[in-house]
Amino acid sequence: MCGIVGYIGNREAYPIIIKGLQRLEYRGYDSAGVALLNGEMNVYKKQGKVADLHNFAKNENLKAHVGIGHTRWATHGAPSDENAHPHMSNNGRLVMIHNGIIENYAALKTDLKKKGYTFQSETDTEVFINFIEDIYQNTKVDLPEAVRLALTKVVGAYAIAIIDVNQPGQLIAARKGSPLVIGIGKGEYFLASDATPIVEYTSEVVYLDDEEIAVMGKDGLSIKNLEEVTTKPYIQTLDMELEAIEKGGYDHFMLKEIFEQPKSIGDCLRGRLNAAEGRLHLGGISDYVNKVMHADRILIIACGTSWHAGLVAEYIFEDFCRIPVEVEYASEFRYRNPIVGEKDVVIAISQSGETADTLAAIELAKSKGATILGVCNVVGSSIPRTTHAGSYTHAGPEIGVASTKAFTAQISVLTMMALMIAQKKGTMAESAFRKILFELEAVPDKVAKCLDLNAQIEIIAEQFKDATNFLYLGRGFNFPVALEGALKLKEISYIHAEGYPAAEMKHGPIALIDENMPVVFIATRDSSYEKIVSNIQEVKARKGKVIAIVTEGDKHIVEMADHIIEVPHASEAIMPLISVVPLQLLSYHIAVMRDCNVDQPRNLAKSVTVE
Ligand code: G6P
């Protein structure tokens, strides 16, 4: 949550910062602001989106070669111009942007007030920058050292960037718990919450580690940690194309990302799986296969859509590997007193690799001796760097706040993990193993066939766009798909939607059904097909409107349902990768028809770095 961008070098800083903020807007869009240093410090900030900031600032003096910018997801203080970042210290010298939360800000604020400090905003960040100013003024140290001393005293999470009006040749950054990447150009430096604002200018990056402070400027880049140990910057090459972060002719990132799925799933499988040769190898976890095979239990930890991918994985791992699996909301797990031990393997799933609750849950499980594997999309993010091992999903940047291609890539990786373990453990017959390999390889083409249904789904969406409630029902492997379909709809269209196991309907939701209630059934041909057919009849008997996702050629449900969406046949373990696609399209079209901001739904953010 919150995106930060910074630049120091010979180019004009403003265009780099504003474009960077637009790329990071998925992280929050309550307000935006920039600070530009050119002899004097100019700060422009505005409630609303980055485009509002640009309209507000575009006629001002924007010339500068040093600057920082911020797009905010409000935590302390409502979205407003005053609470927008950057924040300036009382003497007007220091300006800061911050992604994260300072937990002891109230105590620091009380102390600073006693010393005569005043505050224009309700934010923890304004307290933070004044705390640094106070140390800077009262000690004889330089600014990087004052920042370091301050950081040893603050409690919480931060990715920060600071500029000092008296030192225009220096940009300071630090992080703990929130992400920060530094881009290295020729005599210039970029910084951002992720690499998307940087990729256009350089592919050389350094991912700052927790508790590291970086100083960038005419003297180059130097990095120290809070213990004053200097570290040599580890420069990595970005593996990201500029097209991957642009809309490429689509109206929305979400639609582009839905349509990218044949490719993103293909990219995820590439080099790892060869069905003809019966070969499957996930290099990232190969050293841990034995550990998982002998695990007492697999604990899956995630949030949001990633949690739904975890539920699909529960069915797959238990079926293929015969290992008990528990799927946990990271936010609940971390605040219980969970029973975890050395014989447990934790799989943490996260698109962003930055979700605060998931990170904290990992730390907790790690402290209890569990082995932690990660399934993440963003390369170099915090979760892959804290886990023992893991596999990237390689879905490419996902920018729409509602997750789509990351979900199918997560399930693809998790299925491969389960297959690798099942083969080694001998819990799956070779023929079944080979069959699933072929099926996985065929998923990109089957997903492409689902995308051909786009126009048909748009027509269905038209009929239900004004509904106030939706019910999504599925059984077995398709139950988590029902949850995911409901989540997609509520996230972007603001229609209340509930996902339920179809058989549980009679224990409550059936009371909601009348002629105004659309019920989406994920009723593809699988072992619970007959049962779900009965559930559809139960809904029809109460005059509910049934939209059914069925397997091509279905003869029964077609007679009962009001609308049918036919998807290609697949084994039940593979079906979630296919059956979810029409649901993504349905929610997309309904949201567009309701004039909702599909890519940036209200109140949400893509990367949830607060608990
Ligand atoms: C937010 C996003 C969701 C995402 C969830 C978990 O709520 O809007 O799309 O599923 O966070 O994020 P993660 O990055 O850990 O998968």
Side-chain angles (χ1 to χ4, degrees):
M1 328 209 96
C2 301
I4 66 170
V5 184
Y7 177 77
I8 186 163
N10 297 319
R11 304 183 204 224
E12 283 300 328
Y14 179 77
I16 296 170
I17 293 169
I18 211 82
K19 204 168 184 187
L21 291 180
Q22 264 152 354
R23 297 232 164 101
L24 292 180
E25 218 169 10
Y26 72 86
R27 302 179 65 86
Y29 27 84
D30 290 333
S31 63
V34 290
L36 300 165
L37 180 53
N38 187 8
E40 55 178 15
M41 188 81 80
N42 288 312
V43 176
Y44 307 108
K45 45 194 205 173
K46 203 76 203 129
Q47 182 180 347
K49 305 231 160 151
V50 177
D52 299 316
L53 167 69
H54 181 58
N55 279 334
F56 170 69
K58 67 182 179 218
N59 298 323
E60 304 287 342
N61 174 15
L62 301 173
K63 294 233 159 293
H65 298 298
V66 189
I68 53 179
H70 186 272
T71 179
R72 177 169 188 249
W73 188 87
T75 57
H76 290 63
S80 67
D81 294 352
E82 295 73 35
N83 289 334
H85 298 215
H87 288 284
M88 192 179 267
S89 67
N90 272 204
N91 67 10
R93 270 190 67 175
L94 306 181
V95 171
M96 176 194 259
I97 48 173
H98 170 214
N99 165 30
I101 287 185
I102 300 307
E103 289 165 13
N104 59 338
Y105 88 103
L108 296 175
K109 192 170 186 175
T110 308
D111 285 351
L112 288 167
K113 273 186 174 167
K114 281 188 199 141
K115 293 179 178 177
Y117 277 86
T118 56
F119 298 90
Q120 318 299 319
S121 76
E122 302 151 272
T123 65
D124 50 344
T125 306
E126 195 187 6
V127 174
F128 197 176
I129 191 61
N130 280 299
F131 182 52
I132 292 171
E133 182 198 281
D134 187 45
I135 294 176
Y136 192 25
Q137 281 188 336
N138 293 314
T139 54
K140 293 207 161 47
V141 298
D142 61 9
L143 182 58
E145 177 58 8
V147 171
R148 189 190 71 80
L149 291 172
L151 295 182
T152 59
K153 306 238 164 43
V154 297
V155 178
Y158 53 80
I160 53 170
I162 300 169
I163 45 181
D164 175 355
V165 74
N166 290 352
Q167 298 185 66
Q170 173 182 273
L171 172 61
I172 299 176
R175 71 156 283 199
K176 183 183 176 191
S178 300
L180 209 155
V181 191
I182 294 171
I184 304 174
K186 290 201 172 64
E188 60 183 350
Y189 295 93
F190 306 81
L191 69 83
S193 302
D194 73 26
T196 56
I198 296 175
V199 61
E200 195 165 339
Y201 311 102
T202 177
S203 57
E204 296 209 326
V205 295
V206 173
Y207 292 93
L208 216 58
D209 269 327
D210 266 351
E211 304 201 333
E212 283 186 339
I213 304 166
V215 181
M216 291 151 271
K218 51 184 177 0
D219 300 329
L221 166 68
S222 63
I223 300 179
K224 247 187 201 174
N225 67 15
L226 292 191
E227 267 77 56
E228 290 186 87
V229 179
T230 302
T231 48
K232 192 165 176 283
Y234 172 53
I235 300 174
Q236 302 187 42
T237 304
L238 271 183
D239 181 19
M240 189 189 281
E241 303 286 329
L242 194 54
E243 307 89 76
I245 53 172
E246 292 181 338
K247 280 191 200 146
Y250 286 91
D251 288 342
H252 298 97
F253 280 110
M254 183 181 178
L255 189 63
K256 177 186 175 228
E257 287 155 8
I258 293 172
F259 271 81
E260 271 174 354
Q261 288 175 111
K263 180 177 181 303
S264 54
I265 297 170
D267 289 346
C268 174
L269 304 179
R270 186 165 308 112
R272 293 166 159 176
L273 177 158
N274 184 321
E277 293 172 13
R279 198 163 35 78
L280 175 69
H281 188 71
L282 285 172
I285 60 150
S286 49
D287 291 346
Y288 285 83
V289 170
N290 271 325
K291 182 89 199 179
V292 186
M293 258 171 67
H294 297 110
D296 279 351
R297 182 176 62 148
I298 295 173
L299 270 165
I300 296 182
I301 291 176
C303 303
T305 288
S306 299
W307 186 79
H308 293 158
L311 282 183
V312 175
E314 175 181 26
Y315 284 75
I316 295 176
F317 272 91
E318 291 199 342
D319 189 24
F320 292 4
C321 311
R322 308 308 297 149
I323 302 172
V325 179
E326 280 171 39
V327 188
E328 298 270 1
Y329 284 116
S331 54
E332 287 298 315
F333 177 83
R334 62 179 290 199
Y335 288 117
R336 288 209 310 268
N337 187 8
I339 301 164
V340 188
E342 286 170 14
K343 291 210 72 189
D344 288 321
V345 169
V346 170
I347 303 179
I349 311 170
S350 174
Q351 187 286 130
S352 62
E354 300 292 348
T355 302
D357 282 323
T358 310
L359 264 166
I362 291 171
E363 293 306 337
L364 176 64
K366 228 176 167 181
S367 72
K368 291 175 182 285
T371 298
I372 323 283
L373 305 180
V375 175
C376 296
N377 194 38
V378 178
V379 176
S381 54
S382 300
I383 292 177
R385 291 194 291 150
T386 185
T387 50
H388 293 109
S391 297
Y392 281 114
T393 46
H394 297 309
E398 189 182 66
I399 294 169
V401 165
S403 184
T404 52
K405 66 173 180 173
F407 177 71
T408 46
Q410 287 164 345
I411 296 175
S412 303
V413 166
L414 290 159
T415 309
M416 288 190 281
M417 274 188 179
L419 283 167
M420 229 171 124
I421 288 145
Q423 190 187 34
K424 187 94 194 276
K425 196 164 176 225
T427 45
M428 217 173 166
E430 184 61 19
S431 56
F433 173 82
R434 289 293 274 263
K435 179 172 180 290
I436 297 287
L437 290 193
F438 278 108
E439 288 223 26
L440 263 180
E441 239 174 32
V443 167
D445 286 344
K446 292 182 181 177
V447 167
K449 284 199 174 147
C450 293
L451 297 172
D452 291 341
L453 304 170
N454 189 33
Q456 183 205 341
I457 294 170
E458 198 172 348
I459 293 167
I460 299 175
E462 179 66 45
Q463 299 187 37
F464 293 100
K465 65 177 194 309
D466 298 320
T468 46
N469 293 289
F470 256 86
L471 200 56
Y472 285 72
L473 301 175
R475 300 180 78 118
F477 291 85
N478 275 329
F479 156 55
V481 176
L483 296 183
E484 177 59 10
L487 177 64
K488 284 293 84 87
L489 189 72
K490 62 189 148 199
E491 277 179 313
I492 60 169
S493 75
Y494 319 140
I495 295 175
H496 170 247
E498 268 188 70
Y500 242 79
E504 277 290 305
M505 171 182 69
K506 53 188 163 301
H507 299 292
I510 200 163
L512 300 170
I513 293 171
D514 61 14
E515 64 281 7
N516 298 317
M517 175 65 105
V519 185
V520 179
F521 275 95
I522 302 99
T524 50
R525 270 261 170 220
D526 59 21
S527 52
S528 48
Y529 179 77
E530 306 301 337
K531 308 279 178 214
I532 207 158
V533 168
S534 307
N535 299 139
I536 294 175
Q537 273 159 339
E538 287 154 15
V539 168
K540 280 318 298 174
R542 286 153 186 90
K543 300 195 172 57
K545 296 279 179 295
V546 171
I547 304 161
I549 314 292
V550 298
T551 309
E552 266 168 5
D554 189 291
K555 297 270 181 312
H556 297 292
I557 299 177
V558 91
E559 309 273 305
M560 292 173 242
D562 299 86
H563 301 275
I564 289 283
I565 299 170
E566 287 185 279
V567 298
H569 178 270
S571 306
E572 57 187 355
I574 298 299
M575 190 47 97
L577 288 165
I578 296 160
S579 57
V580 74
V581 177
L583 304 185
Q584 297 168 341
L585 287 170
L586 183 68
S587 53
Y588 170 79
H589 289 299
I590 290 178
V592 170
M593 287 166 191
R594 289 166 70 95
D595 229 3
C596 297
N597 187 335
V598 171
D599 285 334
Q600 294 173 350
R602 69 182 178 206
N603 305 337
L604 298 179
K606 190 152 188 71
S607 187
V608 184
T609 52
V610 295
E611 10 175 316

